[in-house]
Amino acid sequence: MRDPRYDILFEPVQIGPVRTRNRFYQVPHCNGMGHVHPSAMASMRGIKAQGGWGVVCTEECEISPQSEFSPCIEARLWDERDIPALARMCEAVHQHGSLAGVELAFNGYSAPNRYSREIPWAPSNTPVRGYDPVQARAMSRADIKHLREMHRAAALRAREAGFDIVYVYAGHDLGLPFHFLTPRNNRRTDEYGGVLENRIRLLRELIEDTRDAVGDRCAVAVRLAVDEQVSGGLSREGEGAEIFSILADLPDLWDINVADWSNDSITSRFAAEGYQEAFLTGLKALTTKPVVGVGRFTSPDTMASLVRRGVLDLIGAARPSIADPFLPKKIEEGRMDEIRECIGCNVCVSGDHTSTPLRCTQNPTMGEEWRRGWHPESVRRVHSPGRALVIGAGPAGLECARVLGARGMEVALVEGLRQVGGRVALESRLPGLSNWSRVIDYRLDALSRLASVEIYRESRLEAQDVLDFAAAHVFIATGSRWRRDGLGRALRQALPGLETLPILTPDDVMAGAVPPSPVLLFDDDHYYMGSVLAERLVVQGVDVIFVTPAADVATWTHNTLEQHRIQRRLLELNVTIITSHTLATATPDDAIASCVYTGRPRVIPAACLLLVTSREPEQALYGALDQSPGSLWAAGIKTVALVGDCLAPGTIAAAVYSGHRQAREFDAAADSLVMRREIACLEVK
Ligand code: ADP
Ligand code: SF4
């Protein structure tokens, strides 16, 4: 039964000519599938609708090759041939009684047009965003007219595809209408530049054009970033609110956020749930139209409070809807404990940056709905339920046991330590990563509801114990250990001179070791671990010299929108950062690094080395079992599988995925495990 405190979240809201059944609104979000994998995208959106999101939107949708976002894979409405792919998404969303929204996007100087080679357009002559050697050219009045025609035509195609809400996109410092709003991008002297009324003109015209074209049947939404958080940029207290109040009642819906994307989708390491509220508060009083906003909301209390306090009409979500497509249904049915809360890691964002289908740490089915046929809330029951033994209760073992239990197996999940959670239990105690413990919380809670799963703690298993247990299926999820010899990407053999200096690994620091100062932290991992350990050690009074072969700190975190924040934090903590250097030798009082370009040596005084390079899978147990197949057979063990980091160390997302996949697929015939794909249809010669 639903808690009456949350009834307010299930009220319908009128949005122009359409009405949403509740206040749960999946705002536009990229997914790395878009126009290249349209059925996969449609299926993923359909499941969100099934999970109760009243509105489900696309990602950015290109309206013309004059502004295309390659190599990022987004939706596309260039011409009528793009309509069927998006019609498929609309059908999937409508099937569950939800509204479908499309974010028409024209990104001006933010899109270098790598594919189409069209010269990008901007309010004024300017280099494109990023480092492509391309300049956008100042639009003529004829270009502006042409843009308006293209936008209008795309809106008509969107209506034909079946969309209920059509966006004009002025967000994230990406959409061209946003570039016209800001004096730092708009230096025009005609009626589209200068005073605010002129800079707003294009946005106003696009809203009016869209309403004129499709407003009879579709709501017109505006996504506006009201604050850029850069000096000289738009600010909520300045022109941000002014623009909003001037256009207050023109669109049917306001979708408000902050620019740029890294500020809008900030990770939990750098901001808590609800972090955008200060920018949203007060705007609703300036309009009679509904307002949607985001803030990585996963708490129904926060959501209900935002509506009650008049901050928002609709609860916007991208990441929370990825982590749990069934979040609204769970609130509706009073199953709050079952919500799979987003941990704010932005692994999902990396799909867009790497042009691959999105993945999610918490929800291993995300992106797999169509190609593997995985549903986030249901699994096929096993034909002949038997006993399963899962060894190791890290993210892989927890997820494996959860899915096996849901499939009807009798499961023993055995953990050597008192504490479950494996690496997540340790890593979530590092600075800024406390939300990551939700990976454990969700799974422990789910396991507690499965009567057929037992958890045994403080039970370290040896091979004989496994044989004695006599389960039909054994899943080994024993994790991995950080290497102590420096081997990784840069060093392909152990670092010479290791015996001369004290050596620590991340495992030691997470176990409480505090190294002598100064410590040379060699980061050849390039994700978060090196930087969070540096933070922890500085707080403990240790001087840290951070050495990396990459050109910047934690370079992979560009993909999670965090790199600039991480590097800034280390600089603010007075960590000495030495980039583009690898380690060459350790000596009793220092280490010798060498420049990755010139090989020139550099002596770095250090009392200790902390090596964050690579991990070794913990396969001793598997190795022992593998040596005696006859004993396995005699014990009635039919299958033994390695799962998660003990198969190959990777991200937490990869460990959860591995556990999930093994539990789903261990009993399937190999030829039934086809990964579906969509192939481009050949044009007539
Ligand atoms: P993953 O990310 O693959 O889940 P983790 O390193 O997070 O891996 O977790 C592995 C877990 O397995 C740890 O909690 C560890 O204590 C446990 N473990 C390792 N070896 C054994 C064993 N022989 N018996 C029981 N538990 C084990
Ligand atoms: Fe949230 Fe991380 Fe999943 Fe993205 S990948 S939805 S941030 S848990």
Side-chain angles (χ1 to χ4, degrees):
M1 284 291 289
R2 179 166 90 212
D3 186 324
R5 281 178 303 165
Y6 309 135
D7 285 353
I8 196 167
L9 299 173
F10 293 88
E11 291 168 352
V13 178
Q14 192 69 33
I15 310 174
V18 297
R19 194 173 170 85
T20 168
R21 63 186 153 128
N22 61 31
R23 297 183 189 268
F24 295 94
Y25 192 108
Q26 183 244 276
V27 293
H29 72 74
C30 61
N31 54 87
M33 298 194 282
H35 70 274
V36 176
H37 310 288
S39 294
M41 195 275 273
S43 203
M44 178 268 287
R45 303 290 188 200
I47 280 181
K48 303 265 195 94
Q50 188 191 9
W53 297 89
V55 178
V56 179
C57 297
T58 61
E59 58 279 21
E60 287 186 295
C61 178
E62 300 166 358
I63 65 172
S64 144
Q66 181 58 53
S67 182
E68 51 82 21
F69 315 148
S70 58
C72 296
I73 302 171
E74 313 294 337
R76 212 165 245 188
L77 272 175
W78 288 6
D79 61 43
E80 68 282 354
R81 289 174 305 165
D82 294 313
I83 293 174
L86 287 169
R88 181 163 294 188
M89 169 192 151
C90 291
E91 278 162 32
V93 170
H94 289 158
Q95 198 189 341
H96 300 287
S98 302
L99 300 177
V102 58
E103 184 179 59
L104 298 184
F106 191 97
N107 281 2
Y109 91 95
S110 298
N113 292 338
R114 291 172 178 167
Y115 171 79
S116 69
R117 301 180 64 179
E118 296 292 347
I119 305 291
W121 287 348
S124 310
N125 293 317
T126 181
V128 295
R129 208 179 153 96
Y131 298 114
D132 284 56
V134 173
Q135 265 202 212
R137 69 172 173 80
M139 292 170 77
S140 65
R141 284 198 181 84
D143 296 330
I144 292 176
K145 185 166 171 285
H146 188 193
L147 168 68
R148 290 178 59 187
E149 287 162 1
M150 288 189 293
H151 200 277
R152 183 188 174 89
L156 288 166
R157 289 193 284 274
R159 185 177 67 176
E160 196 180 329
F163 284 104
D164 310 284
I165 300 174
V166 177
Y167 270 73
V168 179
Y169 178 53
H172 297 129
D173 191 24
L174 291 176
L176 179 80
F178 184 85
H179 301 153
F180 271 77
L181 295 177
T182 52
R184 72 190 183 100
N185 290 318
N186 182 345
R187 302 182 303 279
R188 299 176 76 93
T189 52
D190 63 2
E191 67 275 24
Y192 288 93
V195 296
L196 183 59
E197 196 58 45
N198 284 355
R199 284 180 273 126
I200 289 179
R201 192 177 308 279
L202 177 65
L203 178 57
R204 179 194 291 282
E205 287 172 345
L206 290 173
I207 300 169
E208 286 167 351
D209 293 344
T210 310
R211 179 189 295 291
D212 184 55
V214 301
D216 56 331
R217 219 194 67 205
C218 305
V220 178
V222 172
R223 196 171 214 196
L224 177 70
V226 288
D227 198 294
E228 288 189 84
Q229 304 185 19
V230 289
S231 76
L234 209 63
S235 79
R236 163 70 177 79
E237 298 315 320
E239 288 189 340
E242 221 178 318
I243 293 164
F244 184 93
S245 60
I246 292 171
L247 297 174
D249 287 337
L250 199 58
D252 297 313
L253 171 81
W254 284 102
D255 179 345
I256 299 299
N257 59 14
V258 293
D260 57 8
W261 187 18
S262 70
N263 291 326
D264 186 22
S265 292
I266 195 164
T267 55
S268 59
R269 185 171 169 185
F270 294 99
E273 178 180 353
Y275 57 89
Q276 294 201 27
E277 188 172 330
F279 301 99
L280 300 166
T281 303
L283 292 177
K284 233 179 79 58
L286 305 174
T287 177
T288 60
K289 302 303 170 85
V291 177
V292 58
V294 293
R296 199 160 33 75
F297 303 124
T298 56
S299 149
D301 289 311
T302 306
M303 298 176 197
S305 155
L306 285 163
V307 178
R308 274 202 196 93
R309 288 184 290 120
V311 180
L312 292 176
D313 298 287
L314 296 151
I315 304 300
R319 291 171 292 174
S321 76
I322 293 169
D324 197 341
F326 275 64
L327 184 149
K329 264 250 155 25
K330 289 174 182 174
I331 299 174
E332 188 171 24
E333 294 169 2
R335 297 188 286 129
M336 265 76 70
D337 292 350
E338 295 178 40
I339 294 173
R340 205 168 29 237
E341 287 186 284
C342 167
I343 69 166
C345 62
N346 279 7
V347 161
C348 49
V349 170
S350 72
D352 192 56
H353 285 114
T354 55
S355 305
T356 47
L358 84 172
R359 59 214 61 201
C360 169
T361 302
Q362 276 284 58
N363 175 10
T365 67
M366 181 46 55
E368 307 293 346
E369 300 85 353
W370 182 82
R371 68 176 181 179
R372 294 194 196 278
W374 289 1
H375 189 279
E377 298 299 313
S378 62
V379 285
R380 189 174 48 83
R381 292 195 63 86
V382 280
H383 279 310
S384 47
R387 290 178 79 202
L389 172 63
V390 180
I391 306 158
L398 284 169
E399 178 68 3
C400 188
R402 182 188 79 81
V403 176
L404 289 170
R407 294 195 60 201
M409 298 282 287
E410 192 188 321
V411 185
L413 172 61
V414 183
E415 166 56 51
L417 304 175
R418 185 181 186 79
Q419 178 174 50
V420 296
R423 61 183 285 196
V424 178
L426 297 169
E427 292 178 19
S428 58
R429 286 194 219 115
L430 293 170
L433 305 187
S434 60
N435 272 195
W436 292 18
S437 62
R438 292 172 171 185
V439 171
I440 307 171
D441 300 341
Y442 163 72
R443 290 174 174 82
L444 274 187
D445 189 76
L447 289 171
S448 72
R449 278 190 303 277
L450 289 166
S452 66
V453 181
E454 288 287 344
I455 303 178
Y456 302 91
R457 301 170 189 241
E458 293 179 276
S459 311
R460 195 172 176 82
L461 298 191
E462 304 298 336
Q464 190 56 48
D465 304 317
V466 177
L467 296 175
D468 293 345
F469 203 90
H473 303 282
V474 176
F475 300 85
I476 300 181
T478 46
S480 61
R481 273 177 215 293
W482 287 90
R483 292 188 70 105
R484 204 166 274 283
D485 58 4
L487 207 121
R489 292 178 168 87
L491 300 176
R492 295 301 166 139
Q493 53 193 18
L495 179 73
L498 278 170
E499 62 293 344
T500 60
L501 264 182
I503 305 291
L504 290 182
T505 70
D507 293 322
D508 299 324
V509 178
M510 287 191 283
V514 182
S517 203
V519 61
L520 189 161
L521 189 162
F522 180 56
D523 183 17
D524 197 18
D525 174 58
H526 308 285
Y527 192 14
Y528 55 88
M529 183 56 78
S531 62
V532 287
L533 291 183
E535 257 190 89
R536 139 92 63 107
L537 294 176
V538 170
V539 170
Q540 290 175 329
V542 179
D543 290 335
V544 179
I545 306 156
F546 191 106
V547 178
T548 173
D552 52 13
V553 162
T555 198
W556 196 80
T557 62
H558 283 285
N559 294 315
T560 56
L561 304 170
E562 292 173 294
Q563 195 283 327
H564 61 297
R565 284 197 167 83
I566 292 173
Q567 188 135 356
R568 181 167 66 211
R569 180 160 290 176
L570 294 198
L571 289 168
E572 283 168 357
L573 289 170
N574 290 322
V575 170
T576 305
I577 296 173
I578 301 175
T579 57
S580 305
H581 277 72
T582 189
L583 282 191
T585 331
T587 64
D589 298 313
D590 47 41
I592 315 241
S594 72
C595 170
V596 296
Y597 300 109
T598 62
R600 204 170 288 149
R602 176 165 174 176
V603 178
I604 303 172
C608 171
L609 285 184
L610 172 52
L611 299 172
V612 189
T613 57
S614 66
R615 284 177 283 159
E616 199 56 20
E618 185 56 80
Q619 293 182 349
L621 181 58
Y622 179 79
L625 291 170
D626 199 37
Q627 271 171 14
S628 54
S631 322
L632 293 176
W633 183 82
I637 297 174
K638 295 187 184 133
T639 61
V640 179
L642 286 166
V643 182
D645 288 319
C646 76
L647 176 62
T651 59
I652 298 168
V656 170
Y657 177 79
S658 170
H660 188 94
R661 187 168 176 193
Q662 266 299 335
R664 266 194 198 255
E665 297 184 347
F666 77 96
D667 57 339
D671 58 2
S672 70
L673 298 176
V674 179
M675 184 171 77
R676 296 169 81 190
R677 65 196 177 111
E678 215 139 34
I679 298 179
C681 148
L682 290 180
E683 284 289 321
V684 179
K685 268 189 191 165

